[in-house]
Amino acid sequence: MRAYGARLSARLRPGDLVVLSGPLGAGKTTLVQGIAEGLKVRGPITSPTFVIARVHPSLCQGPPLVHVDAYRLGGDLEVDDLDLDASLEESVTVVEWGEGLVEGLSEDRLEIHIDRETGDDARVVTLRGVGARWSGDSV
């Protein structure tokens, strides 16, 4: 998942919203670690479950990474309180557990669902691009 995230980071640019879903332990945070590595942002990248969101500035004049864990959020009002739209245009924003909560932040988003194979370390990753930003783009 980390190597996949690093490859994916080459396709990401400021203003991108990435929404991650999948069961506990599927590899969402590991994917974000790879994205962070590829974007060359300051780490360490750990799950922001209790702090909800972390901003990781670029180490090389690239976009910062905003890493959000929406697992503990109770709804749209709590998402609004995070004020993610204030930094959305200049950052790459990745939201774990964001399905059904953050789609209103942007008309364009990349939805990634990660599943574990039964009894295996293999993962099944499903990508869905939404909006003009991702139309016709093979990620």
Side-chain angles (χ1 to χ4, degrees), residues 4 51 60 75 102 115 122 134 139:
Y4 184 75
V51 296
C60 66
V102 299
D115 262 323
W134 300 103
V139 181

Side-chain angles (χ1 to χ4, degrees), residues 10-74:
R11 305 300 306 252
L12 299 175
R13 63 183 189 212
D16 282 344
L17 173 64
V18 180
V19 182
L20 303 180
S21 63
L24 203 59
K28 295 179 291 294
T29 300
T30 304
L31 178 72
V32 178
Q33 290 169 341
I35 291 171
E37 182 180 301
L39 292 176
K40 295 179 179 33
V41 297
R42 188 172 59 211
I45 307 301
T46 59
S47 179
T49 301
F50 296 102
V51 296
I52 310 297
R54 284 194 180 100
V55 178
H56 299 276
S58 175
L59 297 171
C60 66
Q61 306 303 317
L65 171 66
V66 176
H67 182 199
V68 181
D69 188 328
Y71 184 77
R72 297 187 183 282
L73 297 181

Side-chain angles (χ1 to χ4, degrees), residues 17-19 107-113 126-139:
L17 173 64
V18 180
V19 182
E107 293 179 13
D108 301 305
R109 65 188 172 277
L110 181 61
E111 297 174 350
I112 302 176
H113 183 80
T126 306
L127 302 174
R128 179 176 176 255
V130 177
R133 159 72 172 102
W134 300 103
S135 67
D137 197 352
S138 59
V139 181

Side-chain angles (χ1 to χ4, degrees), residues 71-124:
Y71 184 77
R72 297 187 183 282
L73 297 181
D76 294 342
L77 290 176
E78 290 184 18
V79 172
D80 286 345
D81 286 345
L82 293 176
D83 208 18
L84 295 174
D85 52 348
S87 62
L88 193 64
E89 290 304 314
E90 66 267 1
S91 303
V92 171
T93 303
V94 181
V95 184
E96 297 185 39
W97 302 100
E99 188 176 37
L101 288 172
V102 299
E103 290 85 354
L105 290 173
S106 177
E107 293 179 13
D108 301 305
R109 65 188 172 277
L110 181 61
E111 297 174 350
I112 302 176
H113 183 80
I114 306 168
D115 262 323
R116 290 185 304 221
E117 291 283 310
T118 306
D120 198 341
D121 285 339
R123 301 294 192 259
V124 176

